Amino acid sequence: MRCRHFLNPILSPLSFAKPPSRPLASRGSTVAPPPAQLRAALAEPDVGISRFANSLPGFSGALKQRYSDFVVHEVARDGTLVRLTSFDLPDERVGAEEEEEEADVDLSHVLESFRLLCGDADCDTLRGFLLRVSEGDSNVLPIILSADADKAHRSVHDFFKRNFMFLVTDTVEHSDGVQRCIRVRLRPGPGRRRNAGETGVNRKGMGSSGSSGWRDDRPFDSRSSIAWPYHLGKFLRFHLYKENKDTQEALRVIGKMLGLQPKSFGFAGTKDKRAITTQQVTLLKVHASRLADLNSKLIGIKVGDFDYVKERLVLGQLMGNRFTITLRSVVAESEDLIKAAIDGLIKGGFINYYGLQRFGSASVPNHLIGAALLRGEWESAVNLILDPKEGECDDMNGVREHYEEHGDIDVAIRNFPRRLIAERAILQRLKKYPGNYLQALMAIPRTLRLMYVHSYQSYLWNHAASMRVGKYGTTQVVEGDLVYRKECHFGEGTVTDTSEDADGRTNLSEMDISCETVPEETIQSVKITDSEDLLKAIYKFEDVVLPLPGSETLFPGNEVAGIYHEITKKDGISLTESIHGVKEFSITSMKGGYRRVIQRPIDLEWDLVTYTDDKTPLVETDLDVLSKAESLKANEPLSTGVFSCTSQEDSLHTSGATSLVETKSIGSSDLLPDLLAVKLDFTLPASSYATMAIRELMKTSTSVDHQNSEYIKLLKLQQHASFVNLTS
């Protein structure tokens, strides 16, 4: 049955030497959108994606026909694969007894230090206070230390911060208006309400000084007032498993249930929406039991593998992602063609383009907004974000059109959903500062507003990569190419979170949505190749990089450099000077970075699978494994040096060795023809796009419009095959 899929060859593969649809000359056109009309959906040539790394023919198939066909597991900084393996709670008692023993030994020493600082009377008062706390009296009343004009209040506050993290101090005044003294209280835990004695407020709501004369009616500052066990790391780290939701959406749901803001969560990077993904997340001072209780209420989201750590996860703190991708309804001339295409991907890699996801799914892509920001056109940028967008649901476009026509901010804020963070932030600021469009843009969260500018840099890089491959090919280094120096050791896979340097310059992002990571390598590790380098043949094409423009990046010493200046000149943007004073929206205030032109998939494995029902799952998810109660090792480490060039080369001899003869068959039936799927497993660095690897493999566009049209063609082929099978 399977062979019928090889009897109908697909159309000729897209030309290796020519772009798939629009000419490369479109790269020079201005990025300003046509006025008074909606743009068509984004196509690959619109953002510079127009070449392939090899000329091998591809094959036809459906990408992301089901969201379960695209599974992503984060690869943590230590190389472990992040999976959801357990819902068990961690033992929070581990380490507590040792901490208590140490505390008993240290307490006498601490109290002696306090006696030297504040005197015998205050030391005795504090000792009694600590005794009542240790007996479990959570409503113990505050104490007020004695007044002493010679006492340095700041030293006392610092003493409590260093030695008693579960206590809070502030300063109160005597009724005589002259003397001031320090007040000490127990730091309240979550849900604990202060009683009247704690705030000095009586039942009538009036403050009182009492017989002591000290005014105790000033409420305590409650910031950072959550009690937390000493022996636990203050961050809860957990694995977030989600289906058909983006990372921000999933965290908003969890945050709403916990009463927390989305910014409370720390994570290394956003994951695809139309997919099943697992990644690490951290949360400050929240017990695992609170999250675990949500699993029965969450839909399409699960949390587990809880532990406590000392540090918060920040953007960029990951080595990469492991993808399990299923291409359904595959049609090819032969099995040999599929094997050759996969071998070509393994050996030659793919052009390391920024995928369409980088530029957003709206009809007004992010790089157009970024270009307006770089030109200092604040009102234009605001309009691009707020105006109606093709492809958006009618209800949402109705809100946009109403605002465009009437300018009613209150109505727009009321009707824009909370997920439209940029739109709501702009409108709320415009309501406060009418007509101040720069202020409105600065109200957008920093990572989101930087995304627009970084998207424009990605747009430039994609066009430069297409020109480099189109003009010089992918087989050799040419004079003037930028390469990483051989004598430098890059330490690949390490990422440092530095959203802004001491000099205020923003480092360039390599992330998809969140934009606060350093460049892939250091600026000093790059050189321009010369004739001597070519004679020695010490560099390969895999060493070639292209710049993401910034104040400290070099440009190639050949014709490729011209594409950067050509495009930015037509877009009215300068690479050498800022036309406005806002550093965030200026390329000259960014250091920039470099990106490899070619990226190979790491540890690629593949298989052919036959099936009869499109609804049949072809990949086992983390939840499937848990439901079967199978014992798996949590966070199984990947091979050593997973991101090194040596590892990639060594893997060429073993990857793709799956036997084509032993093709798996799932849900087979004598009444329906078998459908063919290609299952791929591979790892990519955090900055690379799996969709670009699939594009190289299939020699087809990854745009939504193209995928939808291909899916319709495949459905017609399947219906015809079913009819022939039933009537024969």
Side-chain angles (χ1 to χ4, degrees):
M1 288 290 186
R2 186 178 68 249
C3 293
R4 73 172 64 249
H5 295 277
F6 304 109
L7 300 178
N8 297 296
I10 59 171
L11 297 175
S12 299
L14 299 173
S15 170
F16 170 62
K18 297 179 180 179
S21 55
R22 306 180 191 182
L24 187 59
S26 65
R27 67 177 184 262
S29 60
T30 178
V31 298
Q37 65 180 20
L38 296 175
R39 291 174 52 87
L42 197 65
E44 288 181 345
D46 294 334
V47 292
I49 303 171
S50 59
R51 302 284 174 176
F52 294 100
N54 64 58
S55 57
L56 293 168
F59 53 87
S60 182
L63 174 64
K64 292 190 177 182
Q65 182 174 328
R66 297 169 58 86
Y67 66 78
S68 57
D69 292 340
F70 203 91
V71 179
V72 186
H73 290 94
E74 189 171 85
V75 182
R77 283 183 296 175
D78 60 0
T80 57
L81 201 61
V82 179
R83 293 185 179 276
L84 185 68
T85 63
S86 172
F87 296 125
D88 295 339
L89 298 177
D91 187 353
E92 298 185 358
R93 297 171 298 174
V94 175
E97 295 180 359
E98 292 81 354
E99 293 264 355
E100 289 175 2
E101 291 176 1
E102 293 178 6
D104 290 340
V105 174
D106 293 341
L107 182 58
S108 58
H109 175 73
V110 171
L111 286 175
E112 177 60 21
S113 299
F114 184 72
R115 185 185 65 80
L116 295 174
L117 180 64
C118 295
D120 293 338
D122 284 344
C123 183
D124 291 339
T125 301
L126 178 60
R127 190 190 306 274
F129 180 79
L130 294 174
L131 178 62
R132 292 192 296 275
V133 171
S134 67
E135 292 173 348
D137 185 0
S138 60
N139 291 319
V140 59
L141 296 179
I143 59 172
I144 296 179
L145 304 181
S146 59
D148 188 343
D150 297 329
K151 191 185 304 176
H153 284 183
R154 176 51 51 196
S155 298
V156 179
H157 289 305
D158 290 341
F159 175 87
F160 278 94
K161 287 180 180 178
R162 288 194 312 270
N163 297 288
F164 299 106
M165 293 295 293
F166 58 93
L167 300 179
V168 180
T169 61
D170 67 348
T171 303
V172 294
E173 292 184 354
H174 195 273
S175 57
D176 61 14
V178 177
Q179 299 182 78
R180 305 179 73 214
C181 203
I182 291 175
R183 178 174 56 174
V184 183
R185 64 146 180 165
L186 179 64
R187 190 186 296 271
R192 177 172 168 261
R193 303 174 66 180
R194 299 189 187 99
N195 54 38
E198 210 173 339
T199 60
V201 180
N202 59 31
R203 292 183 181 180
K204 294 182 180 180
M206 300 294 293
S208 101
S209 59
S211 58
S212 66
W214 289 104
R215 296 189 57 82
D216 198 21
D217 57 346
R218 177 186 168 192
F220 283 98
D221 187 348
S222 62
R223 290 174 294 181
S224 304
S225 62
I226 298 176
W228 192 254
Y230 287 121
H231 63 285
L232 294 180
K234 63 180 180 180
F235 291 98
L236 172 66
R237 184 174 62 190
F238 62 94
H239 291 181
L240 171 67
Y241 170 97
K242 61 181 183 65
E243 298 182 353
N244 204 27
K245 291 179 176 58
D246 63 39
T247 302
Q248 300 281 10
E249 179 185 358
L251 295 181
R252 276 198 298 271
V253 171
I254 295 173
K256 186 175 181 180
M257 290 183 172
L258 294 176
L260 299 173
Q261 295 292 328
K263 64 183 179 181
S264 304
F265 298 92
F267 54 93
T270 58
K271 298 293 181 276
D272 299 76
K273 177 179 180 179
R274 187 166 174 76
I276 295 178
T277 71
T278 309
Q279 66 186 110
Q280 289 184 332
V281 180
T282 57
L283 196 51
L284 176 64
K285 293 183 178 179
V286 173
H287 289 277
S289 57
R290 291 189 66 196
L291 259 74
D293 289 343
L294 301 181
N295 276 323
S296 60
K297 307 170 187 175
L298 292 168
I299 300 174
I301 303 171
K302 295 294 178 186
V303 290
D305 294 87
F306 306 102
D307 67 334
Y308 295 98
V309 294
K310 295 181 179 179
E311 296 180 356
R312 182 180 194 263
L313 267 177
V314 296
L315 298 171
Q317 290 185 331
L318 75 166
M319 287 185 71
N321 296 287
R322 182 75 178 172
F323 297 90
T324 301
I325 297 175
T326 303
L327 305 174
R328 291 180 181 257
S329 303
V330 170
V331 178
E333 292 181 349
S334 65
E335 291 185 1
D336 289 340
L337 184 147
I338 297 174
K339 183 179 185 301
I342 295 175
D343 285 344
L345 178 63
I346 293 171
K347 295 175 182 178
F350 60 95
I351 302 176
N352 199 20
Y353 286 125
Y354 287 97
L356 291 176
Q357 309 98 296
R358 177 73 162 182
F359 305 95
S361 57
S363 60
V364 179
N366 296 329
H367 71 280
L368 295 183
I369 301 170
L373 293 174
L374 290 168
R375 290 192 296 265
E377 298 173 357
W378 315 131
E379 183 177 1
S380 175
V382 167
N383 290 337
L384 286 171
I385 295 171
L386 294 178
D387 283 352
K389 294 172 172 55
E390 183 176 321
E392 202 169 41
C393 67
D394 293 339
D395 289 346
M396 197 52 56
N397 261 333
V399 177
R400 295 183 186 275
E401 290 168 359
H402 184 274
Y403 175 74
E404 185 180 36
E405 183 177 353
H406 301 285
D408 193 326
I409 292 179
D410 289 328
V411 171
I413 292 175
R414 207 160 46 238
N415 289 285
F416 271 131
R418 293 191 178 276
R419 60 181 171 81
L420 297 181
I421 298 171
E423 286 87 340
R424 291 176 60 85
I426 286 174
L427 290 169
Q428 287 166 352
R429 188 61 60 87
L430 283 176
K431 182 178 180 180
K432 188 174 182 180
Y433 302 102
N436 194 330
Y437 296 103
L438 176 57
Q439 273 282 355
L441 290 165
M442 298 305 287
I444 300 172
R446 185 172 185 272
T447 54
L448 186 54
R449 63 179 185 261
L450 288 180
M451 175 190 69
Y452 299 127
V453 177
H454 293 158
S455 179
Y456 184 78
Q457 291 172 308
S458 304
Y459 168 80
L460 293 177
W461 191 96
N462 278 0
H463 280 296
S466 290
M467 182 179 183
R468 170 60 182 83
V469 172
K471 189 170 186 63
Y472 301 116
T474 61
T475 58
Q476 60 184 357
V477 179
V478 300
E479 189 169 348
D481 273 337
L482 284 174
V483 294
Y484 287 133
R485 294 180 183 273
K486 286 294 185 181
E487 62 268 23
C488 293
H489 301 283
F490 305 133
E492 289 191 22
T494 60
V495 180
T496 306
D497 177 64
T498 52
S499 59
E500 189 169 278
D501 280 353
D503 60 1
R505 288 174 174 167
T506 305
N507 276 324
L508 183 68
S509 167
E510 283 289 20
M511 298 300 298
D512 181 13
I513 302 298
S514 305
C515 306
E516 296 184 335
T517 60
V518 298
E520 289 179 315
E521 314 293 354
T522 58
I523 302 296
Q524 292 75 14
S525 64
V526 176
K527 68 163 293 184
I528 299 175
T529 56
D530 52 30
S531 56
E532 185 178 349
D533 295 321
L534 299 184
L535 286 174
K536 292 180 179 179
I538 58 176
Y539 293 105
K540 300 178 182 179
F541 185 64
E542 64 187 28
D543 299 316
V544 175
V545 299
L546 286 171
L548 292 136
S551 62
E552 297 186 17
T553 49
L554 296 174
F555 286 96
N558 50 37
E559 293 183 39
V560 178
I563 195 68
Y564 289 93
H565 301 286
E566 177 187 338
I567 294 177
T568 53
K569 182 179 179 180
K570 290 187 177 182
D571 291 340
I573 294 168
S574 174
L575 293 174
T576 57
E577 60 183 17
S578 176
I579 62 175
H580 52 74
V582 184
K583 288 186 176 181
E584 269 192 16
F585 303 142
S586 173
I587 288 179
T588 57
S589 295
M590 298 179 180
K591 283 190 173 182
Y594 300 97
R595 182 178 177 88
R596 297 184 189 275
V597 175
I598 287 291
Q599 177 64 51
R600 294 183 189 175
I602 302 161
D603 295 332
L604 188 147
E605 301 173 355
W606 64 282
D607 200 357
L608 291 180
V609 181
T610 58
Y611 64 100
T612 57
D613 186 356
D614 278 334
K615 296 180 181 179
T616 301
L618 302 181
V619 174
E620 195 170 52
T621 68
D622 290 352
L623 273 187
D624 294 332
V625 175
L626 274 173
S627 66
K628 293 180 180 179
E630 294 179 355
S631 58
L632 294 177
K633 292 182 179 180
N635 299 330
E636 186 174 57
L638 297 178
S639 56
T640 304
V642 66
F643 289 99
S644 66
C645 293
T646 303
S647 173
Q648 293 177 25
E649 291 171 356
D650 292 344
S651 69
L652 298 182
H653 303 292
T654 57
S655 298
T658 305
S659 171
L660 291 175
V661 177
E662 298 178 0
T663 305
K664 299 177 182 177
S665 182
I666 298 176
S668 60
S669 169
D670 293 335
L671 298 178
L672 295 173
D674 282 352
L675 301 173
L676 187 66
V678 176
K679 179 183 172 185
L680 301 157
D681 289 273
F682 57 89
T683 301
L684 293 176
S687 60
S688 295
Y689 289 76
T691 51
M692 294 296 98
I694 300 302
R695 173 184 179 271
E696 181 70 41
L697 180 66
M698 299 174 67
K699 296 297 188 297
T700 188
S701 171
T702 59
S703 70
V704 174
D705 285 351
H706 181 82
Q707 289 296 316
N708 288 340
S709 64
E710 286 296 301
Y711 182 52
I712 292 172
K713 292 178 184 177
L714 292 169
L715 283 177
K716 291 180 179 178
L717 281 173
Q718 291 175 18
Q719 290 169 357
H720 176 71
S722 299
F723 176 76
V724 171
N725 186 65
L726 291 172
T727 56
S728 61

